[in-house]
Amino acid sequence: MEEAKSQSLEEDFEGQASHTGPKGVINDWRKFKLESEDSDSVAPSKKEILRQMSSPQNRDDKDSKERFSRKMSVQEYELIHKDKEDENCLRKYRRQCMQDMHQKLSFGPRYGFVYELESGEQFLETIEKEQKITTIVVHIYEDGVKGCDALNSSLTCLAAEYPMVKFCKIKASNTGAGDRFSSDVLPTLLVYKGGELLSNFISVTEQLAEEFFTGDVESFLNEYGLLPEKEMHVLEQSNMEEDME
């Protein structure tokens, strides 16, 4: 019920957000407050003031001119000087709406960093027990092998940009099959989903430039359709918009 109410309030707010800029947003927020508050909890005089403040009249109108020129009451003064407080409340409200939207658009578990696997058993457990909808990218590496450190750094960045993908790394010597992963075939990338091996890239850096970066690894994986579409960073975009207002 609360989720439906939140969605309804969000739709009502968005439908009324006809103003732009800080003052326009505040007017919309006052209107939202007026319509969402219980009528029994708000004094009629306060409701009328809020209504007037959220719906400015044509200043050419005689009554409107008198209303704007008359001496301000203490109650109006307090309401006007609550602009900053109202704006903070509005920011929290908008951020909550964005969080709800973000949650609805995000499916499955989220990771955000590279997991270090310590043994072959942990490697197998990760592949077999992870949710079937999750793509798992495993980097088999060894210290001192060319390209391994750079690939680990790139995967760390990609893990933050694709939190729905589980990125892992394991030393070849810890896999229990070190003889199969000699330095000649490292670094190796294995990609799994639903317990099935999707791709196996041996000496993967040979398919990249001698000096490669995160974008190069991302493009390489995208060529094989192994990364999902980037999700919109809704909350970050919302914060940027608020800072620009």
Side-chain angles (χ1 to χ4, degrees), residues 17-31:
S18 57
H19 305 291
T20 59
K23 296 302 181 182
V25 170
I26 294 303
N27 285 335
D28 287 330
W29 173 239
R30 289 197 185 100
K31 185 179 295 185

Side-chain angles (χ1 to χ4, degrees), residues 132-147:
K132 292 184 177 181
I133 63 171
T134 300
T135 298
I136 305 171
V137 178
V138 182
H139 176 208
I140 300 178
Y141 74 102
E142 200 62 69
D143 293 335
V145 175
K146 182 179 180 181

